Amino acid sequence: MPAEPVLLPWERAWREALYGPGGFYRRPEGPAGHFRTAGHAAPELLAGSLARLARNGDCTLVVDLGAGRGELLTALAAVDDGLGLHGVDVVPRPAGLAPRIGWSLGAGSLAGLLRTRPAPRTPVLVVAWELLDVVPCPVLELDEAGALRTVTVDPRTGVEELREPATAAQLDWCRRWWPTDGAEPGDRIEVGAGRDAVWAGAVSAVAAGGPGIL
């Protein structure tokens, strides 16, 4: 007999697929083994622009939040040998990273890093390149009755099912940021409250650590 589906909320399945044991962002080859962003496709061009932005803002430290395997930081080290450089990601320090580039494990380390840097009032540039789109969030779908309900998925098969109604907090977020006026059954919403929290945390960390650009 076929196995019973194991239905998880999309947010949980998404998080496990990206960050669980053996998850996409923890694989040895890193994201660059599967796709390219500007940090991979034109690192020198992007690094040059960021170095100028840092210098124009009197920043002496650049922190790359969601740094992958340090590709952008490596390019920054090549174009500006005077900037302090630090990466933050969910993996340990990549092998072969230049000694002058610092590294922290986990996005939660950003606030502590900025509070304890050698010159706390020195401006810092925090780069969050394509960070928010990899923050998993609940997925809702409009059902035939016009109600938003949680989408669940079996990670083994991709089979989906609508389950419990959206919570009051999710509905409040949708009313403000993703209203369903004119939406039809089957239309979906990603409830980005978790992404809002990540961004607010980064802004607060920069503000608490002194002047900065985010």
Side-chain angles (χ1 to χ4, degrees), residues 85 93 96-102:
L85 302 171
R93 180 184 181 87
L97 203 62
R100 62 170 288 216
I101 300 174

Side-chain angles (χ1 to χ4, degrees), residues 86 88 104 106-118 120 201 204-206 208-209:
H86 198 98
V88 180
S104 295
S109 62
L110 177 62
L113 166 68
L114 296 183
R115 283 196 301 268
T116 59
R117 66 186 190 265
S204 296
V206 171

Side-chain angles (χ1 to χ4, degrees), residues 5 10 33 54 70-71 75-76 85 90 96 100 104 106 139 165 179 181 186 188 205:
W10 243 103
E71 295 92 346
L76 276 163
L85 302 171
V90 297
R100 62 170 288 216
S104 295
V139 177
D181 302 337
R188 292 188 171 185

Side-chain angles (χ1 to χ4, degrees), residues 95-197:
L97 203 62
R100 62 170 288 216
I101 300 174
W103 193 268
S104 295
L105 179 62
S109 62
L110 177 62
L113 166 68
L114 296 183
R115 283 196 301 268
T116 59
R117 66 186 190 265
R121 304 310 298 176
T122 301
V124 58
L125 170 62
V126 177
V127 180
W129 193 257
E130 300 198 27
L131 173 70
L132 296 181
D133 60 344
V134 298
V135 176
C137 56
V139 177
L140 306 179
E141 183 175 311
L142 207 63
D143 67 14
E144 293 295 332
L148 285 170
R149 296 170 62 191
T150 300
V151 182
T152 61
V153 61
D154 185 336
R156 302 167 304 174
T157 64
V159 171
E160 294 180 327
E161 187 175 304
L162 299 188
R163 288 293 182 94
E164 62 272 8
T167 66
Q170 289 171 341
L171 292 174
D172 286 343
W173 188 93
C174 292
R175 277 191 286 268
R176 181 175 184 184
W177 300 110
W178 201 324
T180 57
D181 302 337
E184 300 178 351
D187 287 349
R188 292 188 171 185
I189 291 173
E190 293 180 2
V191 182
R195 293 170 177 166
D196 296 342

Side-chain angles (χ1 to χ4, degrees), residues 26-136:
R26 297 189 186 278
R27 293 177 183 173
E29 69 274 16
H34 300 272
F35 62 83
R36 299 198 304 170
T37 68
H40 306 128
E44 296 82 5
L45 182 61
L46 178 58
S49 298
L50 289 174
R52 287 192 296 274
L53 177 62
R55 292 304 188 184
N56 289 342
D58 295 324
C59 298
T60 58
L61 174 65
V62 177
V63 178
D64 190 2
L65 184 56
R69 301 302 182 269
E71 295 92 346
L72 179 56
L73 291 168
T74 296
L76 276 163
V79 301
D80 192 317
D81 59 9
L83 280 174
L85 302 171
H86 198 98
V88 180
D89 209 280
V90 297
V91 294
R93 180 184 181 87
L97 203 62
R100 62 170 288 216
I101 300 174
W103 193 268
S104 295
L105 179 62
S109 62
L110 177 62
L113 166 68
L114 296 183
R115 283 196 301 268
T116 59
R117 66 186 190 265
R121 304 310 298 176
T122 301
V124 58
L125 170 62
V126 177
V127 180
W129 193 257
E130 300 198 27
L131 173 70
L132 296 181
D133 60 344
V134 298
V135 176

